[in-house]
Amino acid sequence: MNTPSNDELYMALALREAEKAARIGETPIGAVIVCDGKVISRAHNARETDKNALYHAEIRAIYRACRALGGWRLHKCELYVTLEPCPMCAGAIMSARIKRVVYAAPDPKAGAYGGLFDLNAFAVNHKPIVESGVMEAESRDLLKRFFAELREKKKREKQEKQEKE
């Protein structure tokens, strides 16, 4: 019997957050921040729900971790996220001094840790350790299902509109 690693356990929590996002019509991305082996914060995307471009899972998790720990330096923390962070989120990770980022699926269109470009390749003031591929298939499957359902919903709505005309 294989015992899941801590990375898999924390990523499973991030996937649960991503599933919450999908249930409310948000892009299914979830994030968890861990400090000294303890979950400090969890979050999922809420851009559509809260009508706020900044409400990515990572940003919301960082905000909550800062509040929980009483400061902006998260240098003892690890971030687990279901999709490779975008440039905005990578900037927040750098600013918060998060020591390690573990993401599930790469994002070739907007990923800032190797998908589109690698922020750590630049002379920035903080470079987290970055690891990828933990539960990648599960994250990728959730994203694929979500977008397939979204396309189908839009197709149905278009057909219904045409039938009414």
Side-chain angles (χ1 to χ4, degrees):
M1 181 172 108
N2 286 344
T3 305
S5 69
N6 284 344
D7 285 350
E8 289 170 333
L9 292 172
Y10 297 134
M11 190 61 74
L13 295 175
L15 279 164
R16 282 192 209 142
E17 288 295 317
E19 289 165 355
K20 287 181 190 177
R23 284 194 295 273
I24 60 171
E26 294 283 349
T27 302
I29 301 170
V32 171
I33 294 182
V34 176
C35 186
D36 296 326
K38 180 181 176 191
V39 175
I40 301 302
S41 68
R42 309 166 194 234
H44 56 270
N45 271 12
R47 291 188 308 171
E48 299 296 332
T49 305
D50 290 335
K51 308 296 185 228
N52 189 325
L54 302 176
Y55 278 25
H56 288 207
E58 301 96 321
I59 300 290
R60 295 178 71 222
I62 289 169
Y63 174 78
R64 291 172 178 173
C66 289
R67 293 200 57 175
L69 296 174
W72 63 269
R73 288 181 185 88
L74 303 178
H75 62 281
K76 295 180 181 179
C77 296
E78 298 172 310
L79 169 71
Y80 293 83
V81 62
T82 58
L83 185 66
E84 180 182 356
C86 72
M88 175 181 71
C89 293
I93 289 163
M94 179 180 64
S95 293
R97 310 296 195 265
I98 292 174
K99 73 175 179 180
R100 181 171 174 248
V101 175
V102 179
Y103 68 84
D107 186 351
K109 294 181 181 178
Y113 288 120
L116 180 62
F117 70 93
D118 185 359
L119 182 64
N120 278 353
F122 296 91
V124 294
N125 64 334
H126 174 75
K127 297 179 183 186
I129 297 164
V130 178
E131 297 178 34
S132 63
V134 175
M135 301 183 79
E136 179 178 344
E138 294 87 341
S139 178
R140 191 184 307 274
D141 289 347
L142 180 59
L143 286 160
K144 282 182 181 179
R145 277 194 319 272
F146 174 81
F147 285 112
E149 289 170 8
L150 188 62
R151 285 189 298 275
E152 187 59 34
K153 179 182 175 189
K154 287 182 180 181
K155 184 179 173 182
R156 280 193 314 270
E157 289 172 353
K158 183 179 178 182
Q159 287 174 344
E160 289 171 6
K161 183 180 176 185
Q162 287 175 344
E163 289 171 3
K164 288 180 182 180
E165 292 176 348

